[in-house]
Amino acid sequence: MVTQYGDEHHIPEKDKVNKHGAWLPADHRVHREWLRRAVEHTDKHPDRKLIPVLQEFKEFIEGNERIYMYFREMWDDIPRKPPYNKDPTGKSQIRDYKHMLAVLNHVFSRAPEWTDAAQSVGMVGVPMCAIFDYAMGTASGHAAFLDPDVNRMLKRVLNEWGKYLQTPESAEVLGEEATGWFGPTGKKDVMEVANAPYKTSYKFEDMYICDPSKKYYGFKSWDDFFTRRVHDSVRPIASPDDDSVVANACESKTYNLARDAKLRDKFWVKGQPYSILDVLGHDPLARHFGGGTVYQAFLSALSYHRWHAPVSGTVRRAFVRDGTYFSEPLADAAAGAGINADGITTAQGYLTALATRAVIFLEADNPAIGLMAFVGVGMDEVSTCDITVAEGQHVRKGDELGMFHFGGSSHCLLFQKRVKIDGFPAPGNHNNVPVRSKLAVVTG
């Protein structure tokens, strides 16, 4: 299967990328073409006024000595030699922070869409990450995207884009043309991802709740489409009356399974071990999970983005922990690695401790499980982790817990050390594990 168009035709090794979640095309030429067009359009309209939130971003950069230094240096730190002179997101680098803002100004006028490039059609689901790319991996970029003031500003920027993605205008990218989500490539790829786990052949309207007789299948905005609901019949709940069976919380691809995770660890080093206290936002309940089990999986750009209860139980705590949006671990300078060219989407363990995330503690009805935790991790463009349950509420296995709005995403399930749980899917499977399907079994 493909997780985005690009795997079906020959891609030269120098143009091939493999980033988790397929938020960027497998064929780098598509990505480069996307940014080339964005830069070209921006450069042809040099006098276009910045939208208010980007003007505020500009004033924020220029009004603080520390922030100004970061955003000047992050672009200057990128070497002017191969491969950096042709960065993996475009033939033309973003030149400086003013150019960055101008390109963002253009990008924010349109929801994510498919790019009808010369080699193929692909989708750039994280345009801000595409624009920042190598700058995030420089020393100044690393400092900037960890800075609390920068992240507060980025949250304002992302929230404004999020408002646009909820408008009727944003639905224009959902059309049936080549670059539309319901076009021949977009619709095919979305359904290939959806049908792969159970090897089904459902049509879009069979899989997702919609009205195919209406324009854009009845979706009122791009965000409405992104947070679409799935029919219960195509994603049945695993053993609904057996509390020893844990259901999969998100339609997602297995990334990692860690046993005996430390309560506090160096999550910023190579290998990115889990630091439970940091993952759970330093909540007092976090102390119960020292030495516990962590299962992590990431969501595809083309998949389903709502979260579901892995067990039946009562919501003890539910909150969103604000964090970073574009921070990634630096490359190993001691090994002479230079700039980290792998990108934010490979830094899964690192992001669990730093990125903006939703934390939900569940007291399972099954005493063999007891207290467990779900963590929805926002990545890249995500600025909204939307919790739809309340503290004290009882949920049944498979019930909705919340959703991600626009952008890349990952999630974790955490179990206490005493819990004997096995049967997790192994990392490396190319297909998603279906939401609400059997994930693991408690044996004790």
Side-chain angles (χ1 to χ4, degrees), residues 138-168:
T138 66
S140 296
H142 182 70
F145 293 116
L146 279 175
D147 191 285
D149 292 335
V150 171
N151 280 289
R152 278 189 285 270
M153 185 68 244
L154 287 171
K155 182 176 182 179
R156 291 178 59 81
V157 171
L158 289 167
N159 283 346
E160 285 302 311
W161 196 40
K163 290 177 184 177
Y164 169 74
L165 296 178
Q166 295 176 356
T167 65

Side-chain angles (χ1 to χ4, degrees), residues 77-139:
D77 285 350
I78 301 173
R80 300 296 193 251
K81 60 183 181 181
Y84 309 110
N85 62 335
K86 290 186 177 179
D87 99 18
T89 61
K91 295 176 181 176
S92 302
Q93 286 185 333
I94 304 297
R95 297 186 289 272
D96 52 38
Y97 76 86
K98 292 181 181 178
H99 195 222
M100 172 197 81
L101 292 168
V103 175
L104 285 175
N105 202 46
H106 166 60
V107 169
F108 276 23
S109 66
R110 192 85 171 160
E113 60 187 321
W114 297 75
T115 300
D116 186 9
Q119 289 78 21
S120 62
V121 179
M123 184 271 300
V124 177
V126 283
M128 287 184 72
C129 193
I131 291 167
F132 295 151
D133 198 23
Y134 270 134
M136 294 190 297
T138 66

Side-chain angles (χ1 to χ4, degrees), residues 391-426:
E391 293 179 7
Q393 179 180 341
H394 186 271
V395 295
R396 298 290 301 170
K397 180 166 59 176
D399 286 354
E400 183 183 302
L401 296 177
M403 72 197 81
F404 292 113
H405 290 268
F406 59 94
S409 37
S410 177
H411 82 285
C412 296
L413 295 181
L414 292 87
F415 300 88
Q416 295 180 66
K417 184 175 183 177
R418 67 170 182 82
V419 178
K420 298 178 181 178
I421 183 167
D422 291 293
F424 289 100

Side-chain angles (χ1 to χ4, degrees), residues 23 27 79 92 96 162 213 230 246 273 281 329 367 373 384-385:
W23 293 95
D27 191 334
S92 302
D96 52 38
S213 67
V230 71
V246 176
T384 304
C385 295

Side-chain angles (χ1 to χ4, degrees), residues 107-308:
V107 169
F108 276 23
S109 66
R110 192 85 171 160
E113 60 187 321
W114 297 75
T115 300
D116 186 9
Q119 289 78 21
S120 62
V121 179
M123 184 271 300
V124 177
V126 283
M128 287 184 72
C129 193
I131 291 167
F132 295 151
D133 198 23
Y134 270 134
M136 294 190 297
T138 66
S140 296
H142 182 70
F145 293 116
L146 279 175
D147 191 285
D149 292 335
V150 171
N151 280 289
R152 278 189 285 270
M153 185 68 244
L154 287 171
K155 182 176 182 179
R156 291 178 59 81
V157 171
L158 289 167
N159 283 346
E160 285 302 311
W161 196 40
K163 290 177 184 177
Y164 169 74
L165 296 178
Q166 295 176 356
T167 65
E169 290 77 15
S170 70
E172 292 177 0
V173 301
L174 300 178
E176 297 181 355
E177 64 276 7
T179 58
W181 282 84
F182 287 114
T185 300
K187 189 176 179 181
K188 177 187 71 66
D189 284 5
V190 166
M191 291 317 300
E192 190 165 350
V193 170
N195 279 313
Y198 287 130
K199 295 181 172 59
T200 51
S201 56
Y202 290 116
K203 295 180 180 178
F204 185 90
E205 58 268 30
D206 299 327
M207 179 71 67
Y208 298 108
I209 298 172
C210 62
D211 186 348
S213 67
K214 293 183 178 179
K215 187 177 183 180
Y216 306 139
Y217 282 62
F219 294 109
K220 304 301 183 184
S221 67
W222 188 82
D223 186 72
D224 189 27
F225 167 77
F226 186 80
T227 59
R228 60 194 178 274
R229 298 177 184 273
V230 71
H231 287 292
D232 289 341
S233 59
V234 301
R235 290 297 184 262
I237 301 168
S239 305
D241 299 319
D242 185 351
D243 284 344
S244 68
V245 175
V246 176
N248 189 30
C250 297
E251 186 98 353
S252 51
K253 191 181 300 185
T254 302
Y255 170 73
N256 192 29
L257 177 66
R259 305 280 190 178
D260 197 25
K262 294 181 181 179
L263 196 59
R264 205 82 197 269
D265 211 337
K266 295 180 180 180
F267 56 83
W268 57 88
V269 300
K270 187 176 182 180
Q272 302 160 21
Y274 296 104
S275 181
I276 300 297
L277 188 62
D278 297 291
V279 171
L280 297 177
H282 293 253
D283 189 272
L285 293 176
R287 62 182 176 82
H288 295 285
F289 294 89
T293 298
V294 182
Y295 170 81
Q296 185 176 7
F298 56 89
L299 286 75
S300 164
L302 309 182
S303 194
Y304 171 75
H305 287 88
R306 291 176 182 260
W307 326 321
H308 292 262

